[in-house]
Amino acid sequence: QVHLVQSGAEVKKPGTSVKISCKASGYTFLRYYIVWVRQAPGQGLEWMGMMNPRAGSLSFAEKFEGRMTMATDPSTSTAHMELRSLTSADTATYYCSRPTGGTFRLEFWGQGSHVTVSS
Amino acid sequence: SYVVTQPPSVSVAPGQTARIPCGGSDIGSKSVHWYYQRPGQAPVLVVYDGGDRPSGIPERFSGSSSGDTATLTISRVEAGDEANFYCQVWDYGTFHPVVFGGGTKLTVL
């Protein structure tokens, strides 16, 4: 069965960067996109971006373009997301998700990685 | 980018039917997915492509879509259904193809 296991919680200072990993198992890693979604405390879900591991193509939400990097390591079936120039507004739980089908239903989710940005 | 709106809350008594709307321009022509999320947990897909259910999701959960509104219907609501529900639109071919509604808190009275 499909599993996505994310890295643990992080506490970061404003202006620094955070890198989150998402290790996939139970499917052929290169065949499916990885989508990143975040959720600020008490708020809704926010799409950040997605990556096609096979083609290397990337798509970012406009607000994260230039500040976010996505990469994959097919040798370990792991996706990485780095967010730079952190502010308190980036305090959130970050999820990786694997979509299914041509309409990108987000069928599988990691457990979430909580990031706290505080001075 | 495409905008999707949901009411902040919906309340229903146990055993009744809950309907959670999701509004968007001509949303009836788009692919809509629904998720529930309990506090501290990751979202769970409950309905996709408007009305299909993943395996393991009870038949009490159904979806429909027409015009500017998509609706998640939960029949015979149980106390355990209390959660936040999010609709998501697949806005293919745009720069922002994954669009979430703001979420609706379902309260079981």
Side-chain angles (χ1 to χ4, degrees), chain A residues 37 39 43-45 47 50 60-61 95 102-107 109-110, chain B residues 31 33 35 37 41-43 45 48-49 86 88 90 95-98 100:
Chain A
V37 174
Q39 185 172 37
Q43 302 301 307
L45 303 171
W47 177 70
M50 59 195 192
F60 297 93
Y95 293 100
T103 59
F104 268 57
R105 62 186 185 266
L106 301 179
E107 189 167 9
W109 294 73
Chain B
S31 296
H33 314 310
Y35 307 85
Q37 185 184 35
Q41 297 185 14
L45 180 70
Y48 65 94
D49 291 342
Y86 296 91
Q88 177 235 317
W90 172 239
F95 289 109
H96 198 118
V98 178
F100 288 101

PDB file of all heavy atoms in Angstrom, chain A residues 37 39 43-45 47 50 60-61 95 102-107 109-110, chain B residues 31 33 35 37 41-43 45 48-49 86 88 90 95-98 100:
ATOM      1  N   VAL A  37       1.159  20.834   0.130  1.00  0.00           N
ATOM      2  CA  VAL A  37       0.026  21.600   0.666  1.00  0.00           C
ATOM      3  C   VAL A  37       0.406  22.020   2.078  1.00  0.00           C
ATOM      4  O   VAL A  37       1.032  21.248   2.804  1.00  0.00           O
ATOM      5  CB  VAL A  37      -1.251  20.723   0.694  1.00  0.00           C
ATOM      6  CG1 VAL A  37      -2.406  21.455   1.379  1.00  0.00           C
ATOM      7  CG2 VAL A  37      -1.648  20.289  -0.710  1.00  0.00           C
ATOM      8  N   GLN A  39      -0.949  24.104   5.849  1.00  0.00           N
ATOM      9  CA  GLN A  39      -2.114  24.498   6.635  1.00  0.00           C
ATOM     10  C   GLN A  39      -1.642  25.266   7.861  1.00  0.00           C
ATOM     11  O   GLN A  39      -1.028  24.684   8.761  1.00  0.00           O
ATOM     12  CB  GLN A  39      -2.909  23.261   7.051  1.00  0.00           C
ATOM     13  CG  GLN A  39      -4.203  23.560   7.769  1.00  0.00           C
ATOM     14  CD  GLN A  39      -5.025  22.305   7.985  1.00  0.00           C
ATOM     15  OE1 GLN A  39      -4.497  21.223   8.260  1.00  0.00           O
ATOM     16  NE2 GLN A  39      -6.330  22.424   7.833  1.00  0.00           N
ATOM     17  N   GLN A  43      -6.377  27.261  10.151  1.00  0.00           N
ATOM     18  CA  GLN A  43      -6.750  27.713   8.818  1.00  0.00           C
ATOM     19  C   GLN A  43      -6.989  26.535   7.881  1.00  0.00           C
ATOM     20  O   GLN A  43      -6.888  25.371   8.272  1.00  0.00           O
ATOM     21  CB  GLN A  43      -5.644  28.613   8.246  1.00  0.00           C
ATOM     22  CG  GLN A  43      -5.335  29.828   9.107  1.00  0.00           C
ATOM     23  CD  GLN A  43      -6.555  30.707   9.290  1.00  0.00           C
ATOM     24  OE1 GLN A  43      -7.205  31.116   8.315  1.00  0.00           O
ATOM     25  NE2 GLN A  43      -6.880  31.021  10.540  1.00  0.00           N
ATOM     26  N   GLY A  44      -7.299  26.861   6.626  1.00  0.00           N
ATOM     27  CA  GLY A  44      -7.597  25.839   5.646  1.00  0.00           C
ATOM     28  C   GLY A  44      -6.365  25.346   4.917  1.00  0.00           C
ATOM     29  O   GLY A  44      -5.225  25.690   5.249  1.00  0.00           O
ATOM     30  N   LEU A  45      -6.617  24.529   3.916  1.00  0.00           N
ATOM     31  CA  LEU A  45      -5.543  23.932   3.126  1.00  0.00           C
ATOM     32  C   LEU A  45      -5.132  24.889   2.016  1.00  0.00           C
ATOM     33  O   LEU A  45      -5.977  25.533   1.388  1.00  0.00           O
ATOM     34  CB  LEU A  45      -6.023  22.613   2.519  1.00  0.00           C
ATOM     35  CG  LEU A  45      -6.521  21.568   3.525  1.00  0.00           C
ATOM     36  CD1 LEU A  45      -7.165  20.388   2.786  1.00  0.00           C
ATOM     37  CD2 LEU A  45      -5.377  21.083   4.402  1.00  0.00           C
ATOM     38  N   TRP A  47      -2.621  25.074  -1.438  1.00  0.00           N
ATOM     39  CA  TRP A  47      -1.722  24.425  -2.399  1.00  0.00           C
ATOM     40  C   TRP A  47      -0.479  25.270  -2.574  1.00  0.00           C
ATOM     41  O   TRP A  47      -0.563  26.480  -2.795  1.00  0.00           O
ATOM     42  CB  TRP A  47      -2.419  24.271  -3.748  1.00  0.00           C
ATOM     43  CG  TRP A  47      -1.552  23.690  -4.813  1.00  0.00           C
ATOM     44  CD1 TRP A  47      -1.096  22.412  -4.892  1.00  0.00           C
ATOM     45  CD2 TRP A  47      -1.033  24.365  -5.962  1.00  0.00           C
ATOM     46  NE1 TRP A  47      -0.330  22.250  -6.023  1.00  0.00           N
ATOM     47  CE2 TRP A  47      -0.274  23.431  -6.695  1.00  0.00           C
ATOM     48  CE3 TRP A  47      -1.126  25.676  -6.456  1.00  0.00           C
ATOM     49  CZ2 TRP A  47       0.383  23.759  -7.888  1.00  0.00           C
ATOM     50  CZ3 TRP A  47      -0.491  25.994  -7.644  1.00  0.00           C
ATOM     51  CH2 TRP A  47       0.261  25.046  -8.340  1.00  0.00           C
ATOM     52  N   MET A  50       3.720  21.590  -7.048  1.00  0.00           N
ATOM     53  CA  MET A  50       3.788  20.169  -7.350  1.00  0.00           C
ATOM     54  C   MET A  50       4.913  19.904  -8.330  1.00  0.00           C
ATOM     55  O   MET A  50       5.347  20.813  -9.072  1.00  0.00           O
ATOM     56  CB  MET A  50       2.451  19.670  -7.901  1.00  0.00           C
ATOM     57  CG  MET A  50       1.991  20.346  -9.153  1.00  0.00           C
ATOM     58  SD  MET A  50       0.233  19.953  -9.403  1.00  0.00           S
ATOM     59  CE  MET A  50       0.025  20.551 -11.081  1.00  0.00           C
ATOM     60  N   PHE A  60       4.438  26.054  -9.320  1.00  0.00           N
ATOM     61  CA  PHE A  60       4.374  26.703  -8.011  1.00  0.00           C
ATOM     62  C   PHE A  60       3.150  27.605  -7.932  1.00  0.00           C
ATOM     63  O   PHE A  60       2.787  28.270  -8.909  1.00  0.00           O
ATOM     64  CB  PHE A  60       5.604  27.592  -7.785  1.00  0.00           C
ATOM     65  CG  PHE A  60       6.913  26.860  -7.748  1.00  0.00           C
ATOM     66  CD1 PHE A  60       7.672  26.710  -8.900  1.00  0.00           C
ATOM     67  CD2 PHE A  60       7.404  26.359  -6.559  1.00  0.00           C
ATOM     68  CE1 PHE A  60       8.888  26.052  -8.870  1.00  0.00           C
ATOM     69  CE2 PHE A  60       8.630  25.706  -6.516  1.00  0.00           C
ATOM     70  CZ  PHE A  60       9.363  25.549  -7.675  1.00  0.00           C
ATOM     71  N   ALA A  61       2.554  27.683  -6.751  1.00  0.00           N
ATOM     72  CA  ALA A  61       1.605  28.754  -6.505  1.00  0.00           C
ATOM     73  C   ALA A  61       2.380  30.068  -6.545  1.00  0.00           C
ATOM     74  O   ALA A  61       3.528  30.144  -6.095  1.00  0.00           O
ATOM     75  CB  ALA A  61       0.930  28.575  -5.148  1.00  0.00           C
ATOM     76  N   TYR A  95       2.224  19.363   4.249  1.00  0.00           N
ATOM     77  CA  TYR A  95       1.890  18.010   3.821  1.00  0.00           C
ATOM     78  C   TYR A  95       2.422  17.754   2.413  1.00  0.00           C
ATOM     79  O   TYR A  95       2.330  18.628   1.536  1.00  0.00           O
ATOM     80  CB  TYR A  95       0.373  17.806   3.761  1.00  0.00           C
ATOM     81  CG  TYR A  95      -0.342  17.849   5.083  1.00  0.00           C
ATOM     82  CD1 TYR A  95      -1.011  19.008   5.493  1.00  0.00           C
ATOM     83  CD2 TYR A  95      -0.399  16.736   5.918  1.00  0.00           C
ATOM     84  CE1 TYR A  95      -1.704  19.052   6.699  1.00  0.00           C
ATOM     85  CE2 TYR A  95      -1.078  16.767   7.117  1.00  0.00           C
ATOM     86  CZ  TYR A  95      -1.725  17.929   7.505  1.00  0.00           C
ATOM     87  OH  TYR A  95      -2.415  17.960   8.688  1.00  0.00           O
ATOM     88  N   GLY A 102      -6.263  11.536 -13.696  1.00  0.00           N
ATOM     89  CA  GLY A 102      -6.053  12.738 -14.490  1.00  0.00           C
ATOM     90  C   GLY A 102      -6.601  14.007 -13.876  1.00  0.00           C
ATOM     91  O   GLY A 102      -6.260  15.105 -14.313  1.00  0.00           O
ATOM     92  N   THR A 103      -7.447  13.871 -12.850  1.00  0.00           N
ATOM     93  CA  THR A 103      -8.018  15.059 -12.211  1.00  0.00           C
ATOM     94  C   THR A 103      -7.370  15.346 -10.854  1.00  0.00           C
ATOM     95  O   THR A 103      -7.889  16.124 -10.078  1.00  0.00           O
ATOM     96  CB  THR A 103      -9.535  14.908 -12.037  1.00  0.00           C
ATOM     97  OG1 THR A 103      -9.795  13.751 -11.245  1.00  0.00           O
ATOM     98  CG2 THR A 103     -10.227  14.803 -13.392  1.00  0.00           C
ATOM     99  N   PHE A 104      -6.241  14.673 -10.618  1.00  0.00           N
ATOM    100  CA  PHE A 104      -5.404  15.015  -9.459  1.00  0.00           C
ATOM    101  C   PHE A 104      -6.144  14.976  -8.131  1.00  0.00           C
ATOM    102  O   PHE A 104      -6.024  15.892  -7.309  1.00  0.00           O
ATOM    103  CB  PHE A 104      -4.757  16.391  -9.660  1.00  0.00           C
ATOM    104  CG  PHE A 104      -3.407  16.304 -10.310  1.00  0.00           C
ATOM    105  CD1 PHE A 104      -3.260  15.690 -11.539  1.00  0.00           C
ATOM    106  CD2 PHE A 104      -2.278  16.835  -9.701  1.00  0.00           C
ATOM    107  CE1 PHE A 104      -2.017  15.588 -12.145  1.00  0.00           C
ATOM    108  CE2 PHE A 104      -1.023  16.749 -10.296  1.00  0.00           C
ATOM    109  CZ  PHE A 104      -0.901  16.124 -11.522  1.00  0.00           C
ATOM    110  N   ARG A 105      -6.918  13.904  -7.923  1.00  0.00           N
ATOM    111  CA  ARG A 105      -7.450  13.761  -6.576  1.00  0.00           C
ATOM    112  C   ARG A 105      -6.303  13.372  -5.659  1.00  0.00           C
ATOM    113  O   ARG A 105      -5.464  12.559  -5.996  1.00  0.00           O
ATOM    114  CB  ARG A 105      -8.550  12.699  -6.541  1.00  0.00           C
ATOM    115  CG  ARG A 105      -8.127  11.302  -6.919  1.00  0.00           C
ATOM    116  CD  ARG A 105      -9.315  10.383  -6.982  1.00  0.00           C
ATOM    117  NE  ARG A 105      -8.997   8.993  -7.218  1.00  0.00           N
ATOM    118  CZ  ARG A 105      -8.980   8.430  -8.413  1.00  0.00           C
ATOM    119  NH1 ARG A 105      -9.197   9.144  -9.495  1.00  0.00           N
ATOM    120  NH2 ARG A 105      -8.726   7.144  -8.523  1.00  0.00           N
ATOM    121  N   LEU A 106      -6.251  14.008  -4.506  1.00  0.00           N
ATOM    122  CA  LEU A 106      -5.146  13.807  -3.561  1.00  0.00           C
ATOM    123  C   LEU A 106      -5.506  12.632  -2.663  1.00  0.00           C
ATOM    124  O   LEU A 106      -6.059  12.794  -1.584  1.00  0.00           O
ATOM    125  CB  LEU A 106      -4.877  15.092  -2.789  1.00  0.00           C
ATOM    126  CG  LEU A 106      -4.508  16.274  -3.682  1.00  0.00           C
ATOM    127  CD1 LEU A 106      -4.277  17.533  -2.856  1.00  0.00           C
ATOM    128  CD2 LEU A 106      -3.279  15.966  -4.531  1.00  0.00           C
ATOM    129  N   GLU A 107      -5.170  11.452  -3.135  1.00  0.00           N
ATOM    130  CA  GLU A 107      -5.631  10.223  -2.496  1.00  0.00           C
ATOM    131  C   GLU A 107      -4.753   9.809  -1.330  1.00  0.00           C
ATOM    132  O   GLU A 107      -5.226   9.164  -0.391  1.00  0.00           O
ATOM    133  CB  GLU A 107      -5.693   9.100  -3.532  1.00  0.00           C
ATOM    134  CG  GLU A 107      -6.356   7.829  -3.039  1.00  0.00           C
ATOM    135  CD  GLU A 107      -6.682   6.875  -4.173  1.00  0.00           C
ATOM    136  OE1 GLU A 107      -6.248   7.128  -5.320  1.00  0.00           O
ATOM    137  OE2 GLU A 107      -7.370   5.868  -3.921  1.00  0.00           O
ATOM    138  N   TRP A 109      -1.691  10.964   1.511  1.00  0.00           N
ATOM    139  CA  TRP A 109      -1.091  12.100   2.208  1.00  0.00           C
ATOM    140  C   TRP A 109      -0.020  11.631   3.197  1.00  0.00           C
ATOM    141  O   TRP A 109      -0.166  10.562   3.806  1.00  0.00           O
ATOM    142  CB  TRP A 109      -2.157  12.864   2.990  1.00  0.00           C
ATOM    143  CG  TRP A 109      -3.201  13.540   2.147  1.00  0.00           C
ATOM    144  CD1 TRP A 109      -4.214  12.936   1.468  1.00  0.00           C
ATOM    145  CD2 TRP A 109      -3.345  14.944   1.918  1.00  0.00           C
ATOM    146  NE1 TRP A 109      -4.973  13.880   0.816  1.00  0.00           N
ATOM    147  CE2 TRP A 109      -4.465  15.122   1.084  1.00  0.00           C
ATOM    148  CE3 TRP A 109      -2.643  16.074   2.346  1.00  0.00           C
ATOM    149  CZ2 TRP A 109      -4.895  16.389   0.659  1.00  0.00           C
ATOM    150  CZ3 TRP A 109      -3.059  17.325   1.940  1.00  0.00           C
ATOM    151  CH2 TRP A 109      -4.178  17.477   1.100  1.00  0.00           C
ATOM    152  N   GLY A 110       1.005  12.441   3.338  1.00  0.00           N
ATOM    153  CA  GLY A 110       1.927  12.227   4.436  1.00  0.00           C
ATOM    154  C   GLY A 110       1.260  12.651   5.738  1.00  0.00           C
ATOM    155  O   GLY A 110       0.159  13.215   5.751  1.00  0.00           O
TER     156      GLY A 110
ATOM    157  N   SER B  31     -13.734  19.274 -12.297  1.00  0.00           N
ATOM    158  CA  SER B  31     -13.584  18.121 -11.411  1.00  0.00           C
ATOM    159  C   SER B  31     -13.459  18.615  -9.972  1.00  0.00           C
ATOM    160  O   SER B  31     -12.618  19.462  -9.675  1.00  0.00           O
ATOM    161  CB  SER B  31     -12.336  17.327 -11.785  1.00  0.00           C
ATOM    162  OG  SER B  31     -12.470  16.778 -13.074  1.00  0.00           O
ATOM    163  N   HIS B  33     -13.224  17.476  -5.874  1.00  0.00           N
ATOM    164  CA  HIS B  33     -12.913  16.434  -4.894  1.00  0.00           C
ATOM    165  C   HIS B  33     -13.222  16.972  -3.493  1.00  0.00           C
ATOM    166  O   HIS B  33     -13.142  18.184  -3.247  1.00  0.00           O
ATOM    167  CB  HIS B  33     -11.443  16.027  -4.968  1.00  0.00           C
ATOM    168  CG  HIS B  33     -10.953  15.792  -6.364  1.00  0.00           C
ATOM    169  ND1 HIS B  33     -11.612  14.994  -7.270  1.00  0.00           N
ATOM    170  CD2 HIS B  33      -9.851  16.261  -7.007  1.00  0.00           C
ATOM    171  CE1 HIS B  33     -10.950  14.992  -8.405  1.00  0.00           C
ATOM    172  NE2 HIS B  33      -9.877  15.751  -8.282  1.00  0.00           N
ATOM    173  N   TYR B  35     -12.613  16.346   0.829  1.00  0.00           N
ATOM    174  CA  TYR B  35     -11.782  15.750   1.881  1.00  0.00           C
ATOM    175  C   TYR B  35     -12.392  16.066   3.239  1.00  0.00           C
ATOM    176  O   TYR B  35     -12.989  17.132   3.430  1.00  0.00           O
ATOM    177  CB  TYR B  35     -10.361  16.336   1.846  1.00  0.00           C
ATOM    178  CG  TYR B  35      -9.711  16.240   0.497  1.00  0.00           C
ATOM    179  CD1 TYR B  35      -9.928  17.222  -0.472  1.00  0.00           C
ATOM    180  CD2 TYR B  35      -8.887  15.168   0.156  1.00  0.00           C
ATOM    181  CE1 TYR B  35      -9.345  17.139  -1.731  1.00  0.00           C
ATOM    182  CE2 TYR B  35      -8.309  15.070  -1.095  1.00  0.00           C
ATOM    183  CZ  TYR B  35      -8.547  16.063  -2.031  1.00  0.00           C
ATOM    184  OH  TYR B  35      -7.978  15.968  -3.278  1.00  0.00           O
ATOM    185  N   GLN B  37     -11.186  16.283   7.395  1.00  0.00           N
ATOM    186  CA  GLN B  37      -9.980  16.377   8.213  1.00  0.00           C
ATOM    187  C   GLN B  37     -10.370  16.562   9.670  1.00  0.00           C
ATOM    188  O   GLN B  37     -11.102  17.491  10.018  1.00  0.00           O
ATOM    189  CB  GLN B  37      -9.110  17.560   7.766  1.00  0.00           C
ATOM    190  CG  GLN B  37      -7.782  17.633   8.502  1.00  0.00           C
ATOM    191  CD  GLN B  37      -6.970  18.852   8.120  1.00  0.00           C
ATOM    192  OE1 GLN B  37      -7.503  19.920   7.853  1.00  0.00           O
ATOM    193  NE2 GLN B  37      -5.645  18.695   8.075  1.00  0.00           N
ATOM    194  N   GLN B  41      -4.918  15.688  12.219  1.00  0.00           N
ATOM    195  CA  GLN B  41      -4.732  14.600  11.271  1.00  0.00           C
ATOM    196  C   GLN B  41      -4.644  15.139   9.843  1.00  0.00           C
ATOM    197  O   GLN B  41      -5.078  16.253   9.552  1.00  0.00           O
ATOM    198  CB  GLN B  41      -5.886  13.603  11.376  1.00  0.00           C
ATOM    199  CG  GLN B  41      -5.965  12.922  12.735  1.00  0.00           C
ATOM    200  CD  GLN B  41      -7.045  11.860  12.774  1.00  0.00           C
ATOM    201  OE1 GLN B  41      -7.578  11.440  11.754  1.00  0.00           O
ATOM    202  NE2 GLN B  41      -7.368  11.399  13.982  1.00  0.00           N
ATOM    203  N   ALA B  42      -4.103  14.328   8.960  1.00  0.00           N
ATOM    204  CA  ALA B  42      -4.029  14.697   7.551  1.00  0.00           C
ATOM    205  C   ALA B  42      -5.420  14.588   6.920  1.00  0.00           C
ATOM    206  O   ALA B  42      -6.276  13.846   7.402  1.00  0.00           O
ATOM    207  CB  ALA B  42      -3.051  13.776   6.822  1.00  0.00           C
ATOM    208  N   PRO B  43      -5.658  15.324   5.857  1.00  0.00           N
ATOM    209  CA  PRO B  43      -6.936  15.197   5.144  1.00  0.00           C
ATOM    210  C   PRO B  43      -7.123  13.784   4.589  1.00  0.00           C
ATOM    211  O   PRO B  43      -6.155  13.061   4.327  1.00  0.00           O
ATOM    212  CB  PRO B  43      -6.797  16.217   4.001  1.00  0.00           C
ATOM    213  CG  PRO B  43      -5.783  17.194   4.489  1.00  0.00           C
ATOM    214  CD  PRO B  43      -4.817  16.382   5.291  1.00  0.00           C
ATOM    215  N   LEU B  45      -9.448  11.775   1.561  1.00  0.00           N
ATOM    216  CA  LEU B  45     -10.321  11.902   0.395  1.00  0.00           C
ATOM    217  C   LEU B  45     -11.605  11.120   0.638  1.00  0.00           C
ATOM    218  O   LEU B  45     -11.548   9.938   0.977  1.00  0.00           O
ATOM    219  CB  LEU B  45      -9.603  11.367  -0.844  1.00  0.00           C
ATOM    220  CG  LEU B  45     -10.350  11.409  -2.169  1.00  0.00           C
ATOM    221  CD1 LEU B  45     -10.512  12.837  -2.669  1.00  0.00           C
ATOM    222  CD2 LEU B  45      -9.612  10.560  -3.212  1.00  0.00           C
ATOM    223  N   TYR B  48     -14.525  11.922  -4.999  1.00  0.00           N
ATOM    224  CA  TYR B  48     -13.711  12.508  -6.063  1.00  0.00           C
ATOM    225  C   TYR B  48     -14.481  12.536  -7.367  1.00  0.00           C
ATOM    226  O   TYR B  48     -15.469  11.821  -7.541  1.00  0.00           O
ATOM    227  CB  TYR B  48     -12.381  11.762  -6.218  1.00  0.00           C
ATOM    228  CG  TYR B  48     -12.494  10.327  -6.678  1.00  0.00           C
ATOM    229  CD1 TYR B  48     -12.404   9.994  -8.025  1.00  0.00           C
ATOM    230  CD2 TYR B  48     -12.645   9.291  -5.761  1.00  0.00           C
ATOM    231  CE1 TYR B  48     -12.480   8.678  -8.446  1.00  0.00           C
ATOM    232  CE2 TYR B  48     -12.720   7.974  -6.165  1.00  0.00           C
ATOM    233  CZ  TYR B  48     -12.640   7.678  -7.515  1.00  0.00           C
ATOM    234  OH  TYR B  48     -12.717   6.366  -7.924  1.00  0.00           O
ATOM    235  N   ASP B  49     -13.995  13.404  -8.253  1.00  0.00           N
ATOM    236  CA  ASP B  49     -14.646  13.580  -9.554  1.00  0.00           C
ATOM    237  C   ASP B  49     -16.157  13.796  -9.384  1.00  0.00           C
ATOM    238  O   ASP B  49     -16.963  13.231 -10.131  1.00  0.00           O
ATOM    239  CB  ASP B  49     -14.369  12.393 -10.469  1.00  0.00           C
ATOM    240  CG  ASP B  49     -12.915  12.333 -10.903  1.00  0.00           C
ATOM    241  OD1 ASP B  49     -12.218  13.364 -10.790  1.00  0.00           O
ATOM    242  OD2 ASP B  49     -12.467  11.273 -11.343  1.00  0.00           O
ATOM    243  N   TYR B  86     -13.309  19.924   3.153  1.00  0.00           N
ATOM    244  CA  TYR B  86     -12.757  20.815   2.131  1.00  0.00           C
ATOM    245  C   TYR B  86     -13.124  20.314   0.743  1.00  0.00           C
ATOM    246  O   TYR B  86     -12.993  19.121   0.457  1.00  0.00           O
ATOM    247  CB  TYR B  86     -11.233  20.881   2.227  1.00  0.00           C
ATOM    248  CG  TYR B  86     -10.728  21.488   3.513  1.00  0.00           C
ATOM    249  CD1 TYR B  86     -10.462  20.691   4.619  1.00  0.00           C
ATOM    250  CD2 TYR B  86     -10.514  22.859   3.618  1.00  0.00           C
ATOM    251  CE1 TYR B  86     -10.003  21.238   5.806  1.00  0.00           C
ATOM    252  CE2 TYR B  86     -10.052  23.424   4.798  1.00  0.00           C
ATOM    253  CZ  TYR B  86      -9.808  22.607   5.889  1.00  0.00           C
ATOM    254  OH  TYR B  86      -9.349  23.161   7.057  1.00  0.00           O
ATOM    255  N   GLN B  88     -12.083  20.673  -3.281  1.00  0.00           N
ATOM    256  CA  GLN B  88     -10.901  21.008  -4.078  1.00  0.00           C
ATOM    257  C   GLN B  88     -11.265  20.885  -5.548  1.00  0.00           C
ATOM    258  O   GLN B  88     -11.852  19.892  -5.974  1.00  0.00           O
ATOM    259  CB  GLN B  88      -9.739  20.066  -3.759  1.00  0.00           C
ATOM    260  CG  GLN B  88      -8.499  20.305  -4.610  1.00  0.00           C
ATOM    261  CD  GLN B  88      -8.020  19.073  -5.340  1.00  0.00           C
ATOM    262  OE1 GLN B  88      -7.972  17.975  -4.771  1.00  0.00           O
ATOM    263  NE2 GLN B  88      -7.649  19.223  -6.604  1.00  0.00           N
ATOM    264  N   TRP B  90      -9.956  20.848  -9.513  1.00  0.00           N
ATOM    265  CA  TRP B  90      -8.826  20.650 -10.424  1.00  0.00           C
ATOM    266  C   TRP B  90      -9.053  21.586 -11.604  1.00  0.00           C
ATOM    267  O   TRP B  90      -9.882  21.337 -12.462  1.00  0.00           O
ATOM    268  CB  TRP B  90      -8.754  19.193 -10.860  1.00  0.00           C
ATOM    269  CG  TRP B  90      -7.747  18.885 -11.935  1.00  0.00           C
ATOM    270  CD1 TRP B  90      -8.001  18.346 -13.164  1.00  0.00           C
ATOM    271  CD2 TRP B  90      -6.327  19.076 -11.884  1.00  0.00           C
ATOM    272  NE1 TRP B  90      -6.822  18.192 -13.874  1.00  0.00           N
ATOM    273  CE2 TRP B  90      -5.778  18.633 -13.098  1.00  0.00           C
ATOM    274  CE3 TRP B  90      -5.449  19.590 -10.916  1.00  0.00           C
ATOM    275  CZ2 TRP B  90      -4.404  18.668 -13.377  1.00  0.00           C
ATOM    276  CZ3 TRP B  90      -4.087  19.614 -11.201  1.00  0.00           C
ATOM    277  CH2 TRP B  90      -3.582  19.170 -12.411  1.00  0.00           C
ATOM    278  N   PHE B  95      -2.245  28.228 -14.108  1.00  0.00           N
ATOM    279  CA  PHE B  95      -1.047  28.308 -13.280  1.00  0.00           C
ATOM    280  C   PHE B  95      -1.313  27.912 -11.832  1.00  0.00           C
ATOM    281  O   PHE B  95      -0.375  27.778 -11.049  1.00  0.00           O
ATOM    282  CB  PHE B  95      -0.460  29.727 -13.335  1.00  0.00           C
ATOM    283  CG  PHE B  95       0.161  30.053 -14.661  1.00  0.00           C
ATOM    284  CD1 PHE B  95      -0.432  30.945 -15.533  1.00  0.00           C
ATOM    285  CD2 PHE B  95       1.347  29.440 -15.039  1.00  0.00           C
ATOM    286  CE1 PHE B  95       0.151  31.231 -16.766  1.00  0.00           C
ATOM    287  CE2 PHE B  95       1.940  29.722 -16.262  1.00  0.00           C
ATOM    288  CZ  PHE B  95       1.335  30.616 -17.137  1.00  0.00           C
ATOM    289  N   HIS B  96      -2.547  27.776 -11.482  1.00  0.00           N
ATOM    290  CA  HIS B  96      -2.916  27.400 -10.114  1.00  0.00           C
ATOM    291  C   HIS B  96      -3.965  26.289 -10.198  1.00  0.00           C
ATOM    292  O   HIS B  96      -5.147  26.521  -9.930  1.00  0.00           O
ATOM    293  CB  HIS B  96      -3.456  28.609  -9.355  1.00  0.00           C
ATOM    294  CG  HIS B  96      -3.469  28.438  -7.872  1.00  0.00           C
ATOM    295  ND1 HIS B  96      -2.725  29.248  -7.022  1.00  0.00           N
ATOM    296  CD2 HIS B  96      -4.117  27.571  -7.056  1.00  0.00           C
ATOM    297  CE1 HIS B  96      -2.924  28.876  -5.765  1.00  0.00           C
ATOM    298  NE2 HIS B  96      -3.763  27.865  -5.767  1.00  0.00           N
ATOM    299  N   PRO B  97      -3.530  25.084 -10.577  1.00  0.00           N
ATOM    300  CA  PRO B  97      -4.512  24.048 -10.916  1.00  0.00           C
ATOM    301  C   PRO B  97      -5.190  23.373  -9.728  1.00  0.00           C
ATOM    302  O   PRO B  97      -6.231  22.747  -9.896  1.00  0.00           O
ATOM    303  CB  PRO B  97      -3.671  23.025 -11.688  1.00  0.00           C
ATOM    304  CG  PRO B  97      -2.295  23.201 -11.141  1.00  0.00           C
ATOM    305  CD  PRO B  97      -2.152  24.666 -10.836  1.00  0.00           C
ATOM    306  N   VAL B  98      -4.595  23.466  -8.554  1.00  0.00           N
ATOM    307  CA  VAL B  98      -5.176  22.838  -7.368  1.00  0.00           C
ATOM    308  C   VAL B  98      -5.730  23.951  -6.488  1.00  0.00           C
ATOM    309  O   VAL B  98      -4.969  24.752  -5.932  1.00  0.00           O
ATOM    310  CB  VAL B  98      -4.135  22.006  -6.590  1.00  0.00           C
ATOM    311  CG1 VAL B  98      -4.759  21.395  -5.338  1.00  0.00           C
ATOM    312  CG2 VAL B  98      -3.559  20.908  -7.485  1.00  0.00           C
ATOM    313  N   PHE B 100      -8.312  24.908  -3.304  1.00  0.00           N
ATOM    314  CA  PHE B 100      -9.108  24.442  -2.178  1.00  0.00           C
ATOM    315  C   PHE B 100     -10.129  25.492  -1.763  1.00  0.00           C
ATOM    316  O   PHE B 100      -9.849  26.708  -1.819  1.00  0.00           O
ATOM    317  CB  PHE B 100      -8.213  24.164  -0.954  1.00  0.00           C
ATOM    318  CG  PHE B 100      -7.351  22.944  -1.080  1.00  0.00           C
ATOM    319  CD1 PHE B 100      -6.009  23.064  -1.414  1.00  0.00           C
ATOM    320  CD2 PHE B 100      -7.868  21.676  -0.853  1.00  0.00           C
ATOM    321  CE1 PHE B 100      -5.198  21.946  -1.524  1.00  0.00           C
ATOM    322  CE2 PHE B 100      -7.076  20.553  -0.959  1.00  0.00           C
ATOM    323  CZ  PHE B 100      -5.735  20.686  -1.302  1.00  0.00           C
TER     324      PHE B 100
END
